[in-house]
Amino acid sequence: MQRLYDFIRRHPTGVDVFWAVFLLGLSGMSMVSGMYDAGREETVAVPVALGLSTVVALRRRAPEKMLLLAILVGVAQLAFDVRPGVGNFAMLVITYTVATVGERWASRLALVCSLSAAALSQLRWEAEPGASWPQVVFVTIIMTVPFVLAWVLGDSLRTRRAYFDQLEERAARLEREREAQSKVAVAAERARIARELHDVVAHNVSVMVVQADGAAYVMDAAPDQARQALETISGTGRQALAEMRRLLGVLRTGDAPEGGEYVPQPDVEQIEDLVEQVRQTGLEVDFKVEGTPRPLPSGVELTAYRVVQEALTNTRKHGGPDAGASVRLVYFDDGLGLLIEDDGRGAAHELYEDGGADGAGHGMIGMRERVGMVGGTLDAGPRPGGGFRISALLPLKPPG
């Protein structure tokens, strides 16, 4: 049974042709049995039967054209006095088909024809000669009902199909939107990871280079200081490798590895440890906290840590010898303020402009992006009297 159903679905035109031949056979049997009187009626009845069979055979391939052919056949029947027969069942079929899959104008035309066909038939051929007008009206209504029901059924099926098509289109659109949002989220996550990699590499490698230079300089004169510098290099390198391994693992798999451990993100409390680490490299840093410390959103804490880290890294890179720095954390009622200053010679002006010079200034761009993501503001540039200043205000509530 399922195979028969699948065959019917795969060959709809073949099924229609089968029923058209069947209908043509019934019409032929009616003509042979003497339903039509000899004469001009019989001559016209043959093309009428062929036309109605053609309507059934091609109803799904060209529903609008078959509707017009059915109307033409009906007009020919009225004009040549060919009474309705079994072949006129094709008009009921084409009415349903056009209401289901035809154009809107064809569907409306089929409805008009359905409402008027029975009345025209009663005017042309009385069912019972001498019947009263109530009887004629009753018979007309009875003959009109099947056509109207066929049209209503077809139009309901059209509406249902349109509704399901709309649901499928909406589902496909939502799927595309989800894919687009996923791609945007992945791109944003990779950009965040890129910023994290820059901060990790720039800071830790800078510390390692400074310590290595110091160890080489005091290797012979102060072996203990050289050994301490090498231990600092080792610890810094391990820390950098651990963070890079975590970040590269996320890049490789798109998520944290199963069974792996998440490395805690730096927070505001670790800024003091960061300052102490920088002091060990020989850079004098004055660190103060103003206001009452309190818990902050994780994004704000990570941003504050990275801004201070990048600022002190830039001081070591561009501040020159004997440079000093100061770090201020100020807790406001609605935000966290950062002020990082140094008294060195500072970086070139192009390095802190958006975009940098010849691709430089990526650390400053990363700082601006980080601060912007949490809805904060950042101001960076040379300060009066020499040196460099970075100030940022991070709100406690995320933007929007």
Side-chain angles (χ1 to χ4, degrees):
M1 193 66 184
Q2 184 64 32
R3 291 182 179 179
L4 178 60
Y5 180 71
D6 294 338
F7 176 82
I8 292 174
R9 293 191 62 181
R10 289 196 304 268
H11 304 88
T13 303
V15 176
D16 291 340
V17 170
F18 169 79
W19 288 115
V21 172
F22 180 75
L23 189 64
L24 182 61
L26 292 179
S27 300
M29 292 173 60
S30 298
M31 286 186 287
V32 170
S33 64
M35 182 177 180
Y36 298 99
D37 296 333
R40 188 178 62 176
E41 296 180 16
E42 185 176 356
T43 304
V44 179
V46 174
V48 167
L50 291 175
L52 293 175
S53 299
T54 304
V55 169
V56 174
L58 302 179
R59 67 185 184 93
R60 275 187 268 206
R61 295 182 65 88
E64 295 82 6
K65 294 180 180 179
M66 292 303 101
L67 174 65
L68 297 178
L69 177 59
I71 294 174
L72 180 62
V73 171
V75 171
Q77 286 184 267
L78 292 173
F80 295 99
D81 194 20
V82 179
R83 286 180 173 273
V86 65
N88 287 96
F89 182 78
M91 295 184 176
L92 192 66
V93 174
I94 193 61
T95 298
Y96 166 80
T97 303
V98 170
T100 304
V101 298
E103 299 290 340
R104 274 299 179 184
W105 66 266
S107 177
R108 296 188 183 97
L109 179 59
L111 178 61
V112 172
C113 294
S114 299
L115 294 174
S116 59
L120 293 174
S121 176
Q122 284 296 305
L123 291 176
R124 188 69 173 86
W125 306 285
E126 292 184 8
E128 295 182 6
S132 62
W133 68 266
Q135 292 177 334
V136 173
V137 171
F138 178 76
V139 171
T140 302
I141 293 175
I142 293 299
M143 294 176 62
T144 303
V145 168
F147 287 93
V148 175
L149 289 179
W151 185 90
V152 171
L153 180 61
D155 190 70
S156 300
L157 186 58
R158 173 203 292 271
T159 303
R160 186 177 181 182
R161 286 179 178 176
Y163 174 71
F164 282 118
D165 291 342
Q166 184 179 11
L167 289 181
E168 291 179 357
E169 181 183 358
R170 183 181 302 174
R173 185 173 65 252
L174 291 176
E175 184 66 23
R176 291 193 298 269
E177 290 178 356
R178 280 194 294 268
E179 291 178 359
Q181 291 174 357
S182 299
K183 292 179 180 179
V184 170
V186 169
E189 181 66 12
R190 288 179 179 272
R192 183 190 69 81
I193 293 172
R195 286 190 296 268
E196 291 286 334
L197 281 173
H198 172 273
D199 294 337
V200 170
V201 173
H203 172 72
N204 291 288
V205 173
S206 177
V207 171
M208 294 167 66
V209 169
V210 172
Q211 292 290 338
D213 291 342
Y217 183 76
V218 299
M219 180 67 72
D220 297 329
D224 293 338
Q225 293 183 9
R227 185 181 301 106
Q228 183 179 1
L230 293 175
E231 291 176 354
T232 302
I233 292 174
S234 176
T236 303
R238 289 191 179 92
Q239 179 183 356
L241 286 175
E243 294 193 33
M244 290 179 65
R245 188 179 296 110
R246 172 180 62 86
L247 294 173
L248 291 176
V250 174
L251 279 177
R252 185 178 300 110
T253 62
D255 199 350
E258 296 184 2
E261 297 181 357
Y262 287 94
V263 178
Q265 294 285 3
D267 54 22
V268 173
E269 294 182 357
Q270 296 183 28
I271 292 181
E272 186 173 1
D273 297 334
L274 173 65
V275 170
E276 184 62 31
Q277 184 184 27
V278 172
R279 286 172 180 165
Q280 294 177 5
T281 65
L283 178 64
E284 294 295 330
V285 182
D286 181 26
F287 177 67
K288 290 185 179 179
V289 178
E290 301 178 5
T292 303
R294 58 183 179 277
L296 301 173
S298 59
V300 172
E301 295 205 7
L302 177 61
T303 300
Y305 182 91
R306 294 305 189 194
V307 168
V308 174
Q309 184 184 54
E310 181 65 26
L312 294 179
T313 300
N314 289 341
T315 298
R316 287 198 306 271
K317 288 182 178 180
H318 309 292
D322 301 327
S326 64
V327 177
R328 297 287 184 274
L329 267 64
V330 184
Y331 286 88
F332 298 106
D333 293 337
D334 57 350
L336 176 67
L338 300 173
L339 179 62
I340 305 98
E341 296 180 309
D342 65 63
D343 55 6
R345 60 172 179 261
H349 183 272
E350 292 82 0
L351 289 179
Y352 57 83
E353 289 182 337
D354 287 341
D358 299 329
H362 294 295
M364 196 62 63
I365 295 174
M367 274 198 289
R368 293 186 187 278
E369 291 177 350
R370 284 184 180 279
V371 173
M373 283 193 304
V374 297
T377 58
L378 183 138
D379 182 30
R383 69 172 191 167
F388 203 79
R389 170 188 293 156
I390 295 176
S391 63
L393 179 61
L394 309 178
L396 295 184
K397 295 183 178 180

